[in-house]
Amino acid sequence: MADAALGAVRRQLREFPAAARELSLPLAVPYLEAPPTPLQFYRDWICPNRPCIIRNALQHWPALHKWSLPYLRATVGSTEVSVAVTPDGYADAVRGDRFALPAECRLPLSRVLDVLEGRAQHPGVLYVQKQCSNLPTELPQLLPDLEPHVPWATEALGKMPDAVNFWLGDAAAVTSLHKDHYENLYCVVSGEKHFLLHPPSDRPFIPYELYKPATYQLTEESSFKLVDEEAMEKVPWIPLDPLAPDLTRFPSYSQAQALRCTVQAGELLYLPSLWFHHVQQSHGCIAVNFWYDMEYDLKYSYFQLLDSLTKVSGFETEPW
Ligand SMILES: O=C(O)CCC(=O)C(=O)O
């Protein structure tokens, strides 16, 4: 009887993602040609937890016309920033049996630009990606070039962003599949970003495992070693690479359907809270994003329930 009940729960979990997709999810990320009003944004995108790409929302930012690698060199080249350095471009990702955190270096931005422009060498892959409002804290000189928030989103959400992040990266820098509890307004200023997305309802098909955290350290011979973070708890993370999924190990991922989109310079992606995302970029891409804390409402609680059922039913290891 217990086995029959467990089987029924697993069957429901297997069928749920397709049912959710058919009910409310688009086959591709839709485009808006102009920013929505706060009411439209709330009603059509935040409430249904649906992504969209918005054009002509950043045209008034001087950054859009000014920011380039030479401009950054001229204005903030001497400013020291935190840079994530990894041997393979993957920061915060599963590597072997560890959750690998990047080496964090403090470098003048001009040094990062030298490496990105091929004028100098540095071991590994560099990514300016510190996600704790690094734009106002590390590069405040750039603030006059953009708005401090996205006014129609701020009004719709009834709050200011928790963080405003600056991203500058190598084409080899990849952000592994994960989700956040933020409403994310992701603005590409120069270059392009490639997003692979899964709705929260795909959770049963997206495996998590617990990993011991370890941080990359650069050795004197310019190689990398992973050093365990003994004081840190194990981290639940997604071991699957959606670009080359190991379907023998994670067969149920074959049932998931990713949405892919490219966000061009001048476009803004609304990436709703709890959506899984994997991110790549063109070389030297410059972006800014605004993280607004999500509402911990019934939608959040339903997601927690889906997450718990996926875990306790053993669906991740035995989906069939
Ligand atoms: O741009 C990236 O590489 C990652 C962005 C991201 O993961 C986020 O904004 O939550």
Side-chain angles (χ1 to χ4, degrees):
M1 183 59 193
D3 278 356
L6 195 57
V9 171
R10 288 190 189 152
R11 194 166 54 249
Q12 293 298 326
L13 288 169
R14 203 160 48 238
E15 289 168 6
F16 174 76
R21 200 175 307 123
E22 275 160 32
L23 260 183
S24 75
L25 294 172
L27 294 173
V29 178
Y31 283 86
L32 307 187
E33 289 305 321
T37 64
L39 175 65
Q40 287 165 340
F41 187 50
Y42 186 74
R43 186 191 58 204
D44 299 342
W45 308 100
I46 301 170
C47 274
N49 192 247
R50 249 187 239 137
C52 60
I53 296 173
I54 304 167
R55 293 187 167 132
N56 300 308
L58 312 174
Q59 247 48 27
H60 58 293
W61 283 13
L64 203 62
H65 313 289
K66 288 176 158 179
W67 286 10
S68 62
L69 302 190
Y71 176 82
L72 293 181
R73 185 185 290 281
T75 51
V76 284
S78 58
T79 305
E80 262 200 8
V81 291
S82 308
V83 186
V85 187
T86 52
D88 56 1
Y90 281 78
D92 300 336
V94 174
R95 284 293 172 258
D97 58 357
R98 294 290 189 269
F99 174 66
L101 297 152
E104 218 177 87
C105 300
R106 301 276 311 166
L107 296 174
L109 197 73
S110 58
R111 175 103 168 93
V112 179
L113 294 168
D114 286 344
V115 176
L116 286 177
E117 292 181 324
R119 300 188 198 184
Q121 294 214 322
H122 191 286
V125 177
L126 307 186
Y127 196 9
V128 179
Q129 58 120 32
K130 196 164 172 70
Q131 299 148 47
C132 53
S133 261
N134 63 342
L135 182 63
T137 57
E138 295 195 336
L139 295 165
Q141 310 92 312
L142 294 177
L143 289 175
D145 290 347
L146 67 160
E147 280 188 303
H149 62 126
V150 181
W152 41 269
T154 299
E155 196 175 329
L157 291 158
K159 60 184 96 165
M160 288 293 279
D162 273 7
V164 184
N165 305 313
F166 174 88
W167 308 78
L168 168 64
D170 191 301
V174 177
T175 297
S176 72
L177 192 65
H178 71 286
K179 61 168 171 44
D180 301 302
H181 51 82
Y182 292 113
E183 306 296 349
N184 192 341
L185 283 108
Y186 200 105
C187 310
V188 177
V189 178
S190 172
E192 56 187 36
K193 287 262 174 181
H194 311 288
F195 286 83
L196 182 151
L197 307 175
H198 283 285
S201 50
D202 270 356
R203 168 66 183 96
F205 299 146
I206 297 181
Y208 273 85
E209 282 171 11
L210 275 178
Y211 293 92
K212 216 172 166 173
T215 303
Y216 282 117
Q217 269 182 19
L218 248 174
T219 65
E220 302 218 324
E221 299 79 47
S222 294
S223 63
F224 287 85
K225 64 173 182 193
L226 269 176
V227 178
D228 283 339
E229 293 290 350
E230 299 295 353
M232 278 172 71
E233 305 234 316
K234 282 192 169 180
V235 177
W237 207 260
I238 299 166
L240 173 134
D241 177 358
L243 302 181
D246 180 347
L247 296 177
T248 311
R249 203 167 145 210
F250 308 112
S252 65
Y253 185 72
S254 63
Q255 308 291 304
Q257 275 183 31
L259 283 180
R260 289 168 187 260
C261 64
T262 293
V263 185
Q264 307 280 354
E267 295 178 343
L268 180 163
L269 168 69
Y270 166 53
L271 175 53
S273 53
L274 303 178
W275 274 64
F276 297 91
H277 48 290
H278 171 282
V279 191
Q280 293 171 284
Q281 61 206 312
S282 58
H283 196 67
C285 176
I286 312 170
V288 170
N289 78 329
F290 299 84
W291 272 343
Y292 291 83
D293 202 10
M294 71 175 290
E295 283 303 309
Y296 294 92
D297 55 9
L298 208 53
K299 194 165 49 191
Y300 175 78
S301 301
Y302 284 148
F303 179 78
Q304 291 301 103
L305 178 64
L306 180 65
D307 187 53
S308 307
L309 286 175
T310 304
K311 280 186 221 151
V312 300
S313 67
F315 186 84
E316 283 159 305
T317 44
E318 262 182 78
W320 313 115

